[in-house]
Amino acid sequence: MACKLREFVQRVRACKTAAEEREVIAKESAAIRTAFKDDNPKRHRNLLKLMFMHMLGYPTHFGQMECVKLIAGNSFPEKKIGYLGFMLLLDEKQELLMLVTNSIKNDFNNANQFIVGVALCAFANLCSAEMASDLAAEVSKLLQHSNPYVRKKAALCCVKIVRKVPDFGESLLRPAITLLSDKHHGVLISAIKLCIVLCQTNSTLLEQMRKETSNLVEILKNLLTSEYRAEYDCSGISDPLLQIEILRLLRLLGKADADSSDIMSDVLAQVMTNTDARKVPGSAILYECVQTVVHIEATKGLRVLAINVLGHFLSNNDNNIRYVALNMLVKIVALDLQAIQRHRSIVMECLKDADLSIKKRALDLVYALATEDNVKALTKELLEFLMNSSRDLKQDLTMKICSVIQKFASSKLWYIQNMIHLISEAGEFVKSDSLYMLIVIISNTPKLHGYTVRLLYNMVGKWKNQESFALIAIWCIGEYGEMLVNHAGELEIEDPMTITEHEVLDTLEDIAAKSKESINIRVFLLVALLKLSSRYDTCTERIKDMIENYKHSSTLEVQQRAVEFSAIILKYSSIRKVLADRIPALNETVYESKRADGAVAALGPTVRVASPPLFSENHITAPTICTKLSSTDSVNLLDLSIDKEASGQTLDGFSMLQDLLNMDTRSSSKSSPYTGISDIDKNFTEDSKEHPSTSFGNEQFLEMYSAQGPMFPSIVALQTNRLKVLFNFSKPTNNPEITMIHATYLNCSSDLCTDLMLQAAVPKFLLLKLDPASGNILLPNANGTITQCLTVTNTLHGQKPLMMRIRVTCKVNGQEIVEQAQVENFPSGV
Amino acid sequence: MIHFVILISRQGKVRLTKWYSPYTQKERQKVIRELSGLILTRGPKLCNFVEWRGLKVVYKRYASLYFCMSIDPEDNELECLEIIHHFVEILDRYFGNVCELDLIFNFHKAYYILDEVLLAGELQETSKKSVARVIAAQDTMVENAKEQANSLTNIIAQATK
C-alpha cells in the first residue's frame, strides 16, 4: 500500500485535473493515517509525503504528533525529518510546541554537532517568548561551544531570543563581544548580527558596544586588504555579505556619536573608493556604506563622496541599482540639497525609464529637488515630460507639478501661464481647489485679464478634451470676452492678433460640438453667452439663436438656463447689462481660509505643503462691487457669492467652479427620514448651510423683479395624489421680517379626510407661529377647503431665504396618513 | 531580517516556503496567493523589488523558478539579491546544475540546505564550500544510519528464520 516518496510525487504530478489530484491525495492521506496508527517503521517516509501535501495546500494536521515522536527518537535521520516536519507543519502559535521543548533541550547537549545544529535550527524557527525564556540559558551556553558550526547557530538563536524577550540582552553582551574576535566568518557574521540586535533594543548596550568600534574597523580593513581566498570570494570582492553586516553595525555605533564616527570615516572612504560597483555584490556594499555615511556624524567631504556614489548608481544599466539610488536620494534630500542638485539631469532621465517604480521614485526626487532658483526650468521640463508620459504616471505627475507651481510661483504671469498649460494637458487630474485658486488669482489680476483670455483662446483651438480646461476657458471668455477683440492690456510678450466677435462665437460653438456629453460645459457656455450678449453688440442675434438652441435640451439645468437667459435677452434688455456685468474680484482671503479648513479636513495620504497666501506682496483687497440691484436675492442667478458656507472641497469634480456660477445640478427634492421636529430643525440648518440658493420658477422672479411690489405669487407647498397645500403670502408694510402665510388645504382623492393637522419645522433663524386651522375635515374631490394662517419672522431677512418642512397628518377610512414635504420654492423677497 | 522565503514556479506552484516571522497557516496561504499574483505578472525588464504590505519583497527568477524573500523596508535590497544568488549557487553545486524537478523530488534536501544558509531570518554562512561540506557530512550520516538499520533487520530476519 505505502509507496516511496518519489513514486508518490510522480503520481501526484501525473494528475491531469485538480479532482484527480485530490483523489490521489485523499487515498494517500488515509493510508498514512492507518500507517501512523500501527507504529510503522516507515514513519519518516510518510512524514515527508505529508510535507509534500502540505506544500500543495492540503490538510496535514494529523501528522503533527508524529513529528513529536520522531524528534524524541534516537537516530539522526529520524530527528532530522521530525524537526523539518515540525517546522513546516506548525507555526509558533500552536500549543504542541510545549511538547518538544524538552527534546530540544536534550538535543542541545548531544555530542553530535549536527543534532545540536538541527535542534538550534528548530528553536530559531519556532521559538515563542515562552520557549525563549525556558531555553535562553542553554542557548547562551552554546555560544562558547568548541565547534564554530554550533557557535554560529547559537548566536543567531540568541538574536531570536533578544527579539522575543529583550530583557535577555544584557546577559548576552559579553559573549557577543567575545565572538567578535572569532576567525570563522560564519560565527563572525552571526556575532555581528547579535550585536546589532542588542544595540537596537537597548541604548546602554549600544554605549558599551561603542568601545568595539576600532575593533570592527580593523576587521573591515583586513577584509578589504586580505589576499585572495576562494572560499569567500565573490566576483573579486572578499566576503561582501560580511562587509555589509559590519557596515550596518558601524552605522548604529556612529549614529549621533562624533568620536566613533571619526574612527570609522577612513575605512568608509576606503570602501567607497575601492569597491567595484559594476556587479551586484559591489553595489550592495557601496549602498550599505552610503547609508552608514548618511546616518553617522560624517564630514562634508565624506557625504559628498557618498552622494556621488549614488549619482554613479543612477547611470548604471541595472534597474535595481537605479531603484535603490533613487530611493536613497529621496530620503537624504534634506541632508545636502546642493550635492544632489548636481545629479538632477540624470534624475530627469530616470523619469523616462520603462520601469514604473523607478519613474515614481525619480518623480518624488525631482519634486523634492525643486527650489525657487530652478523652478522655472524644472516646471518647463516636467510639462514637456507630461505630454509624453503614460497614463499611470500622469496623475502623480500632475499633482506634483501643480504643487510645485503653487509653492514656488514668483509672478502671477508665470503662475497663470503654467497652470493653464498644465490644465490643458492633464486637467482631469488637477484638484478642484487648484482650479478654483487659479480662477481667484485670474480674477484678482486685472492687468493680466487680457493676456489670460487671449492665451486661453489660442489654446482652446488645440483642445484635448479636458473638461476643466474648457470650463476655465469658457468662463474667462465670458468674463473678459471683449478683451479678445479690443487688444486691451496687451503684454510685450504677446504676438498681436486680430479676432472678431464672430470668431469667438465660432470657437465656443466648436467646443460645445466637441463635448456632447458634458452638462458643465453647456451650462458654463450659456452663462458666457449671456455675458457676451451685452458686450458683443454686433452679434446679439447670433447669441440669441445659440441660446435658443438649448431651450429644448433634455437636461433640466441647461434647459432652464436657456429659457431664463433668452427671456433676459428678449424681454428684459434694460437690466441685461447689469445682470451680465463682470463679477467682482473674488476674495482671496476668504478663499485662503477656506483652503486651510479644507486642508485640515482632507489630511489624507498626500503630503500637503503648507501654503502661504499666494502673491501676498501684491495682494488685491477691496473687490470692486458692480452689482447695483436692489434685491440681493435676484442676483443669485449669476451670483458668485463665495462667502457661502458651502465647502466645495468636500465634493469632487468641479464643485468649486459650480459654486462660481451657482449651478445646482442636484435634484431639488430631498427626502430625509422624518425623525422628529428637532431633527428636522437640525436638518434644516444643515441644509441651509449647503444649499442656500434656491431655484426659482422659470420667469417668476423676473416678473417679480419688474413689479417691485409687495405682492407675492402663491406656491404649491405640498402635492400628493391625495392632498394639496397651497401657500399665499402677504407682508405687513412696516416690518419686512414678518411674512404671513395663508395655507389652503385641498383633498384631491375620493375619500373623506378627517383629523387633519399640520406640523411645520423651520431653521433656528426663523420664528414660526401657527394659528388654528379653520377645520379638520376635508371633503373628497376638492369639494371644500381648510385654511390656516402661519406667521414667520425671518431674523436674517435679506441674508437667508425662508425654508420650511411641513408634515400633514390626517385619517382616511380610519387609517392614519402622513404626508410631508420640504418647502424651498418660496418667492424671493418674502 | 528576512521574514519569509518562497519559491514559486512560473505556473504559480509553490516549491518551497520558509517562514521566519510568525504567520498562521491561513495567513501563509494568503501571502502566497497575493505574492504570486504580484510577482508572476511583472515584466522582465522591471526591477526586482516589490513593495508589499509595508515590507519589501525581493525576487529573482532562475529558469522557471521565482525565488522571493521578504525583508524590512530599511534593509538592503541588493544584499538580499546577493543572498538569493548565494542560495541558488549552493543548490546548483549540490544538485549539479539544479532544475525545478530536483527541487520537487528532493524538496527536503532544499530545506536542509536553506537551513544551513539562513537561520532565524538571518544569513549564517557566507562560504558556499562550508555549507556544501556540512550537507555532505549529514548525507553520509543518514546513509550510514540506513545501512545500519538494514543490516540490523537482516540480522533479525536471519535469526528468526
Side-chain angles (χ1 to χ4, degrees):
Chain A
M1 192 60 196
C3 57
K4 284 192 167 173
L5 172 69
R6 197 174 181 85
E7 285 168 33
F8 172 62
V9 174
Q10 267 164 349
R11 218 182 290 163
V12 171
R13 281 174 56 78
C15 294
K16 289 201 175 60
T17 62
E20 212 178 312
E21 187 185 284
R22 271 199 295 276
E23 204 180 314
V24 170
I25 299 272
K27 249 187 205 162
E28 193 63 34
S29 297
I32 293 173
R33 268 174 202 260
T34 30
F36 281 159
K37 263 183 222 149
D38 0 308
D39 205 22
N40 195 298
K42 300 283 182 212
R43 197 187 274 146
H44 57 283
R45 179 201 282 171
N46 284 333
L47 207 53
L48 280 177
K49 286 188 219 161
L50 272 189
M51 288 180 221
F52 187 74
M53 290 184 205
H54 180 262
M55 208 150 50
L56 295 176
Y58 291 94
T60 51
H61 49 272
F62 53 89
Q64 293 173 351
M65 258 330 274
E66 295 304 309
C67 297
V68 179
K69 283 184 200 162
L70 279 179
I71 291 170
N74 285 324
S75 81
F76 175 69
E78 283 188 352
K79 269 188 194 299
K80 197 151 173 69
I81 290 175
Y83 276 121
L84 179 64
F86 205 70
M87 286 188 278
L88 278 182
L89 306 182
L90 274 80
D91 52 62
E92 67 182 63
K93 285 169 190 152
Q94 262 151 329
E95 285 176 5
L96 221 55
L97 224 53
M98 297 292 299
L99 294 175
V100 287
T101 310
N102 207 38
S103 301
I104 291 180
K105 195 173 168 183
N106 290 337
D107 286 340
F108 281 166
N109 297 320
N110 200 299
N112 187 318
Q113 56 163 341
F114 295 121
I115 291 183
V116 183
V118 81
L120 282 169
C121 179
F123 173 80
N125 220 332
L126 286 168
C127 136
S128 57
E130 215 171 308
M131 203 173 181
S133 316
D134 286 350
L135 296 177
E138 314 286 327
V139 176
S140 54
K141 232 186 275 166
L142 292 177
L143 288 175
Q144 278 115 37
H145 200 275
S146 59
N147 192 333
Y149 178 77
V150 175
R151 282 203 301 273
K152 69 177 182 191
K153 283 186 195 283
L156 288 177
C157 285
C158 289
V159 169
K160 181 87 177 187
I161 292 174
V162 177
R163 280 199 186 127
K164 289 281 170 192
V165 191
D167 291 349
F168 282 112
E170 240 157 283
S171 60
L172 288 170
L173 180 73
R174 274 292 114 211
I177 289 175
T178 319
L179 285 183
L180 284 180
S181 46
D182 212 300
K183 288 282 166 279
H184 188 278
H185 282 208
V187 180
L188 198 51
I189 197 169
S190 308
I192 293 170
K193 280 174 199 277
L194 179 55
C195 291
I196 290 175
V197 174
L198 292 176
C199 291
Q200 281 169 340
T201 46
N202 192 327
S203 55
T204 52
L205 296 185
L206 174 64
E207 282 306 318
Q208 294 177 45
M209 195 73 78
R210 285 225 166 91
K211 290 176 206 135
E212 301 301 313
T213 311
S214 48
N215 184 12
L216 285 162
V217 167
E218 212 47 47
I219 298 172
L220 185 55
K221 259 189 195 151
N222 283 339
L223 272 180
L224 292 175
T225 51
S226 71
E227 62 218 57
Y228 176 80
R229 281 173 71 189
E231 197 173 351
Y232 296 111
D233 186 74
C234 196
S235 49
I237 297 164
S238 171
D239 210 341
L241 295 167
L242 180 59
Q243 289 194 32
I244 289 173
E245 221 51 57
I246 298 174
L247 286 168
R248 192 171 291 155
L249 181 54
L250 286 178
R251 173 153 84 237
L252 290 172
L253 299 179
K255 198 170 183 179
D257 186 276
D259 291 341
S260 23
S261 300
D262 198 43
I263 299 174
M264 64 185 77
S265 46
D266 275 356
V267 77
L268 295 180
Q270 205 180 336
V271 170
M272 284 194 288
T273 41
N274 293 346
T275 309
D276 177 8
R278 276 172 302 180
K279 293 263 171 55
V280 173
S283 314
I285 295 176
L286 283 172
Y287 178 47
E288 199 64 43
C289 193
V290 168
Q291 290 207 44
T292 301
V293 171
V294 167
H295 282 93
I296 65 167
E297 304 290 311
T299 55
K300 190 159 169 54
L302 204 58
R303 279 190 182 168
V304 172
L305 195 59
I307 289 168
N308 285 344
V309 166
L310 293 179
H312 286 303
F313 273 19
L314 289 179
S315 37
N316 198 303
N317 281 331
D318 188 339
N319 274 348
N320 298 328
I321 293 175
R322 280 204 302 271
Y323 172 96
V324 294
L326 288 169
N327 223 359
M328 190 69 206
L329 284 171
V330 173
K331 280 186 207 150
I332 59 171
V333 87
L335 197 76
D336 195 340
L337 196 62
Q338 284 312 313
I340 300 175
Q341 279 304 355
R342 261 179 259 146
H343 303 287
R344 192 167 64 93
S345 54
I346 311 178
V347 179
M348 291 299 286
E349 280 304 304
C350 291
L351 277 177
K352 297 176 187 125
D353 204 283
D355 191 338
L356 184 65
S357 38
I358 288 186
K359 274 198 244 186
K360 285 213 159 139
R361 271 173 185 75
L363 182 59
D364 286 342
L365 185 56
V366 170
Y367 177 64
L369 286 179
T371 59
E372 272 167 38
D373 304 323
N374 65 16
V375 68
K376 288 200 173 163
L378 189 89
T379 314
K380 197 163 167 254
E381 283 173 90
L382 285 178
L383 280 172
E384 272 165 26
F385 175 63
L386 179 69
M387 293 186 198
N388 308 318
S389 71
S390 60
R391 210 185 146 73
D392 38 8
L393 194 66
K394 239 178 183 166
Q395 178 163 15
D396 205 11
L397 186 59
T398 310
M399 306 245 285
K400 294 252 160 56
I401 299 177
C402 191
S403 165
V404 165
I405 295 175
Q406 289 179 353
K407 201 165 154 194
F408 295 107
S410 51
S411 76
K412 288 197 178 188
L413 177 64
W414 184 83
Y415 170 83
I416 291 174
Q417 277 175 337
N418 283 287
M419 276 308 282
I420 287 177
H421 276 115
L422 178 66
I423 293 167
S424 84
E425 204 54 55
E428 69 217 276
F429 300 121
V430 179
K431 284 210 171 139
S432 59
D433 56 340
S434 303
L435 297 175
Y436 187 80
M437 173 97 153
L438 175 63
I439 292 283
V440 173
I441 304 278
I442 291 176
S443 106
N444 274 304
T445 321
K447 270 188 272 178
L448 296 176
H449 283 168
Y451 170 74
T452 307
V453 72
R454 281 188 291 272
L455 178 67
L456 284 165
Y457 178 81
N458 282 337
M459 289 179 66
V460 103
K462 295 171 279 179
W463 186 48
K464 293 176 184 159
N465 243 328
Q466 300 288 344
E467 192 187 57
S468 45
F469 177 72
L471 294 183
I472 288 185
I474 295 172
W475 186 85
C476 286
I477 291 174
E479 290 296 323
Y480 315 115
E482 76 279 8
M483 297 183 178
L484 279 175
V485 189
N486 64 11
H487 300 274
E490 200 157 79
L491 301 183
E492 279 175 19
I493 51 168
E494 281 182 83
D495 291 329
M497 54 180 185
T498 324
I499 308 162
T500 66
E501 294 175 353
H502 280 287
E503 277 169 4
V504 175
L505 294 177
D506 286 344
T507 311
L508 289 178
E509 260 177 347
D510 202 35
I511 300 175
K514 277 188 201 159
S515 60
K516 287 255 182 310
E517 297 84 26
S518 170
I519 301 169
N520 286 330
I521 290 186
R522 232 126 274 226
V523 171
F524 271 56
L525 185 72
L526 282 168
V527 178
L529 285 174
L530 177 68
K531 296 217 165 190
L532 289 179
S533 74
S534 73
R535 295 173 207 176
Y536 286 3
D537 298 327
T538 55
C539 328
T540 321
E541 276 306 304
R542 183 169 170 201
I543 290 174
K544 201 184 79 198
D545 290 344
M546 283 168 80
I547 292 179
E548 292 276 324
N549 281 340
Y550 292 106
K551 267 190 167 174
H552 307 291
S553 166
S554 56
T555 316
L556 180 69
E557 182 67 32
V558 177
Q559 190 188 38
Q560 181 182 343
R561 275 169 198 257
V563 171
E564 285 169 357
F565 293 172
S566 50
I568 292 174
I569 294 175
L570 280 178
K571 296 192 208 156
Y572 304 95
S573 47
S574 56
I575 59 163
R576 188 182 75 201
K577 233 183 161 64
V578 191
L579 274 178
D581 210 340
R582 188 169 302 159
I583 63 147
L586 301 163
N587 191 333
E588 276 179 71
T589 41
V590 171
Y591 172 67
E592 288 298 339
S593 64
K594 206 161 148 188
R595 207 157 69 104
D597 289 348
V600 174
L603 271 180
T606 49
V607 185
R608 259 171 190 274
V609 280
S611 43
L614 256 121
F615 315 113
S616 44
E617 76 281 6
N618 50 358
H619 182 79
I620 295 171
T621 46
T624 46
I625 309 284
C626 74
T627 164
K628 299 173 193 84
L629 293 175
S630 53
S631 163
T632 45
D633 269 355
S634 52
V635 199
N636 256 344
L637 196 64
L638 299 167
D639 189 9
L640 284 140
S641 52
I642 50 161
D643 51 344
K644 279 193 305 191
E645 287 162 78
S647 169
Q649 278 156 352
T650 57
L651 300 163
D652 279 331
F654 301 102
S655 48
M656 279 289 200
L657 285 176
Q658 285 171 355
D659 252 18
L660 275 175
L661 293 165
N662 205 352
M663 191 179 91
D664 188 359
T665 45
R666 284 175 293 176
S667 70
S668 51
S669 66
K670 280 189 204 149
S671 59
S672 52
Y674 183 91
T675 42
I677 298 292
S678 63
D679 267 3
I680 295 186
D681 198 50
K682 206 173 89 202
N683 278 348
F684 251 128
T685 341
E686 279 162 13
D687 276 353
S688 71
K689 270 183 192 161
E690 65 182 45
H691 196 211
S693 67
T694 53
S695 280
F696 306 109
N698 282 349
E699 296 181 32
Q700 207 165 277
F701 100 99
L702 291 168
E703 302 289 352
M704 264 199 26
Y705 179 71
S706 358
Q708 286 283 348
M711 290 292 291
F712 298 96
S714 58
I715 62 165
V716 179
L718 181 146
Q719 169 131 41
T720 64
N721 49 16
R722 193 182 304 280
L723 276 176
K724 188 175 181 180
V725 180
L726 291 170
F727 279 0
N728 286 306
F729 305 93
S730 63
K731 258 182 180 308
T733 40
N734 53 353
N735 191 347
E737 284 188 359
I738 294 176
T739 309
M740 316 277 280
I741 302 175
H742 307 278
T744 311
Y745 305 88
L746 284 165
N747 180 1
C748 313
S749 70
S750 50
D751 301 311
L752 182 76
C753 277
T754 55
D755 298 339
L756 185 101
M757 195 174 68
L758 171 84
Q759 289 174 311
V762 289
K764 286 193 177 105
F765 63 88
L766 295 178
L767 300 172
L768 176 70
K769 196 177 135 229
L770 280 169
D771 291 342
S774 61
N776 63 359
I777 295 172
L778 268 181
L779 296 172
N781 301 327
N783 284 330
T785 56
I786 298 176
T787 56
Q788 186 170 17
C789 189
L790 296 82
T791 313
V792 183
T793 313
N794 186 353
T795 54
L796 295 171
H797 182 75
Q799 296 168 43
K800 296 224 171 165
L802 286 190
M803 46 180 58
M804 183 182 286
R805 186 170 287 184
I806 59 169
R807 180 160 85 150
V808 182
T809 53
C810 61
K811 274 191 178 158
V812 177
N813 299 333
Q815 262 195 313
E816 191 156 289
I817 304 287
V818 179
E819 309 280 14
Q820 52 182 311
Q822 182 154 332
V823 190
E824 286 179 314
N825 51 343
F826 287 100
S828 61
V830 298
Chain B
M1 71 173 276
I2 296 165
H3 295 277
F4 52 77
V5 178
I6 300 176
L7 264 66
I8 1 177
S9 75
R10 218 173 41 183
Q11 287 80 27
K13 291 253 188 227
V14 180
R15 296 301 178 209
L16 182 148
T17 56
K18 187 86 186 176
W19 309 85
Y20 296 107
S21 291
Y23 288 85
T24 62
Q25 301 287 350
K26 225 180 192 170
E27 285 167 342
R28 293 178 185 188
Q29 295 296 332
K30 203 172 156 218
V31 169
I32 293 171
R33 238 191 347 263
E34 273 183 36
L35 278 182
S36 46
L38 204 66
I39 288 170
L40 298 181
T41 50
R42 272 173 77 88
K45 282 196 180 147
L46 306 184
C47 65
N48 295 61
F49 317 128
V50 187
E51 272 162 48
W52 172 83
R53 291 214 224 155
L55 295 176
K56 262 184 204 153
V57 178
V58 178
Y59 71 93
K60 189 149 173 131
R61 186 180 159 177
Y62 289 89
S64 58
L65 268 186
Y66 285 85
F67 288 70
C68 317
M69 291 188 184
S70 134
I71 50 173
D72 287 316
E74 66 273 12
D75 283 348
N76 186 334
E77 300 94 333
L78 298 176
E79 181 201 14
C80 189
L81 267 184
E82 190 53 33
I83 292 176
I84 293 179
H85 191 67
H86 182 66
F87 177 46
V88 172
E89 278 190 327
I90 293 171
L91 285 177
D92 202 50
R93 250 181 233 191
Y94 180 79
F95 288 106
N97 214 349
V98 67
C99 67
E100 195 183 336
L101 275 182
D102 289 329
L103 299 187
I104 295 172
F105 284 105
N106 297 295
F107 66 92
H108 52 297
K109 296 277 176 59
Y111 278 109
Y112 296 152
I113 294 174
L114 184 62
D115 281 341
E116 295 298 337
V117 177
L118 299 177
L119 195 81
E122 306 283 359
L123 184 80
Q124 60 164 315
E125 184 56 68
T126 56
S127 155
K128 298 172 190 92
K129 216 181 197 172
S130 95
V131 173
R133 251 191 327 253
V134 292
I135 291 287
Q138 293 181 51
D139 278 353
T140 333
M141 263 181 85
V142 173
E143 286 305 317
N144 290 344
K146 256 189 203 164
E147 265 169 37
Q148 216 176 350
N150 283 342
S151 57
L152 259 179
T153 42
N154 285 343
I155 294 165
I156 294 167
Q158 278 169 2
T160 50
K161 236 175 208 177

